[in-house]
């Protein structure tokens, strides 16, 4: 956030109508938070260089609007709000979906939304053009931008609490074709997109809260085939990153009720070992992965409502690979 080459941490503070930025000291510890106001009740957050000035800016989903906080050298003193019309913004993602080199904005609503995703083309100065809406399944709880189809164009992927995931194919001009639905476990709450089996294509993984599972949808070139894995509890968030340095992305889940982070190690060919659990703070419903202490190894940060610090641990009884703290 401040251009010193060290990843900082940003969170949404829903009850306070703000975002918090915690600057990295460089050793994996962080300065006290600096808070910056949003419109009111931010549900979700995305980061990207919206004005092409070389700094990461912030966008929050605030229900009936989004708040854009432009980076002024590590601080975010002002927010500019953009109303989104008859849709809801409870999830937000950024990506260059029309290929013009500018970050575009994608929003999705929750249970009360009429069943659409909204795309706002970025103008390159921190503002956005007119909204285009595309129908998807109702009750969406997550949205992501990536290329799971392998056509070189970013698609929109949404997760529906009652269906699974939907992929909106990019037509190549920043517009999207009809959504294609794929089954997952019940209640997918989060989406990760990565090349999970080293075949040069991106794949989709979801955290399925109602079935206590993880779904891996492998891109076979003509659709996706689903594999399910026991998550041990209801995962709230999923991310993909190579944690053990073997060149294969592993899957990392955060659990709110279990107060844990679990790692599914990639065994190759799109298959995963059973999870290694690490204790986390209360209400660990989201997580982020980056090299926070400068040792060239990815670290995991989770949100917590209490601020308590617990010693790292794991559950070797559930692990099919060695348990390492």
């Amino acid at each position: 956030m401040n251009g010193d080459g060290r990843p900082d941490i940003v969170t949404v503070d829903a009850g306070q109508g703000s975002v918090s930025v915690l600057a990295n000291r460089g050793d994996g510890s962080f300065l006290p938070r600096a808070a910056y106001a949003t419109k009111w009740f931010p549900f979700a957050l995305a980061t990207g260089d919206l004005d092409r000035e070389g700094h990461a800016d912030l966008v929050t989903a605030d229900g009936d609007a989004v708040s854009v906080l432009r980076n002024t050298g590590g601080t975010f003193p002002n927010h500019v709000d953009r109303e989104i019309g008859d849709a809801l913004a409870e999830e937000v993602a950024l990506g260059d979906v029309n290929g013009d080199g500018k970050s575009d904005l994608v929003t999705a609503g929750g249970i009360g939304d009429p069943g659409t995703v909204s795309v706002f083309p970025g103008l390159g100065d921190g503002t956005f053009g007119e909204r285009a809406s595309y129908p998807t399944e109702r009750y969406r709880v997550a949205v992501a931008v990536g290329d799971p189809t392998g056509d070189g164009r970013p698609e929109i992927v949404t997760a529906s609490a009652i269906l699974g995931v939907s992929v909106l194919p990019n037509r190549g001009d920043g517009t999207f074709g009809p959504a294609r639905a794929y089954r997952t476990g019940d209640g997918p709450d989060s989406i990760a997109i990565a090349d999970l089996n080293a075949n040069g294509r991106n794949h989709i993984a979801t955290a399925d809260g109602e079935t206590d599972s993880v779904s891996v949808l492998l891109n076979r070139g003509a659709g996706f085939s689903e594999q399910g894995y026991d998550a041990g509890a209801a995962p709230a968030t999923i991310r993909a990153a190579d944690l053990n340095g073997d060149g294969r992305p592993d899957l990392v889940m955060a659990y709110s009720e279990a107060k844990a982070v679990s790692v599914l190690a990639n065994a190759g060919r799109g298959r995963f070992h059973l999870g290694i659990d690490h204790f986390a703070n209360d209400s660990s419903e989201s997580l982020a992965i980056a090299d926070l202490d400068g040792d060239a190894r990815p670290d995991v940060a989770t949100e917590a409502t209490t601020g308590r610090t617990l010693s790292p641990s794991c559950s070797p009884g559930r692990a099919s690979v060695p348990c390492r703290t």
Side-chain angles (χ1 to χ4, degrees):
M1 295 291 115
N2 55 16
D4 64 1
R6 300 188 293 254
D8 307 303
I9 292 175
V10 187
T11 69
V12 290
D13 311 319
Q16 299 178 26
S18 64
V19 295
S20 290
V21 178
L22 288 77
N24 192 333
R25 291 188 174 101
D27 58 358
S29 65
F30 295 83
L31 295 174
R33 76 182 183 104
Y36 303 97
T38 65
K39 183 181 181 184
W40 46 39
F41 195 99
F43 292 92
L45 168 77
T47 66
D49 185 2
L50 303 179
D51 51 17
R52 298 186 290 181
E53 294 182 351
H55 304 294
D57 306 300
L58 307 177
V59 180
T60 62
D62 299 341
D64 64 351
V66 296
S67 291
V68 178
L69 292 83
R70 293 177 63 183
N71 193 330
T72 61
T75 62
F76 305 83
N78 301 305
H79 63 92
V80 177
D81 304 321
R82 172 66 183 264
E83 305 295 328
I84 62 169
D86 59 353
L88 288 176
E90 294 185 6
E91 297 292 334
V92 62
L94 292 171
D96 180 11
V97 301
N98 58 12
D100 65 356
K102 305 167 188 173
S103 292
D104 307 307
L105 172 67
V106 180
T107 66
I111 292 177
D113 189 75
T116 60
V117 293
S118 298
V119 179
F120 300 83
L123 302 182
D125 59 358
T127 65
F128 299 92
E130 293 302 313
R131 176 178 70 132
S133 296
Y134 301 92
T136 64
E137 294 295 327
R138 294 176 64 87
Y139 307 116
R140 284 163 328 288
V141 291
V143 64
V145 174
D147 183 20
T149 65
D151 62 2
R153 301 188 293 257
E155 277 78 45
I156 297 173
V157 183
T158 65
S160 166
I162 61 173
L163 174 68
V165 297
S166 293
V167 179
L168 283 75
N170 191 327
R171 293 191 176 108
D173 58 0
T175 65
F176 295 85
R180 301 168 185 169
Y182 301 93
R183 292 295 307 179
T184 64
D186 293 342
D189 290 319
S190 180
I191 303 166
I193 302 174
D195 183 0
L196 300 176
N197 66 357
N199 69 349
R201 302 188 186 112
N202 282 329
H203 313 278
I204 301 171
T206 61
D208 308 325
E210 292 186 15
T211 48
D212 297 353
S213 64
V214 169
S215 294
V216 176
L217 283 71
L218 296 177
N219 184 344
R220 302 299 188 184
F224 296 86
S225 62
E226 189 257 343
Q227 299 174 356
Y229 295 88
D230 178 17
T237 305
I238 190 166
R239 298 286 182 264
D242 179 12
L243 296 186
N244 55 14
D246 64 359
R248 299 189 294 253
D250 308 300
L251 296 176
V252 188
M253 289 77 63
Y255 301 78
S256 55
E257 295 181 4
K259 303 176 186 177
V261 171
S262 183
V263 178
L264 290 176
N266 194 327
R269 297 187 177 183
R271 298 188 176 276
F272 293 85
H273 293 297
L274 293 176
I276 303 174
D277 294 340
H278 303 266
F279 290 126
N281 289 326
D282 292 343
S283 299
S284 300
E285 293 187 355
S286 67
L287 61 85
I289 302 174
D291 179 12
L292 299 177
D293 55 8
D295 65 356
R297 295 191 292 260
D299 308 300
V300 178
T302 68
E303 70 166 1
T305 57
T306 64
R308 292 189 299 118
T309 300
L310 301 180
S311 299
S313 185
C314 54
S315 302
R318 284 190 51 212
S320 60
V321 293
C323 177
R324 295 188 295 270
T325 300

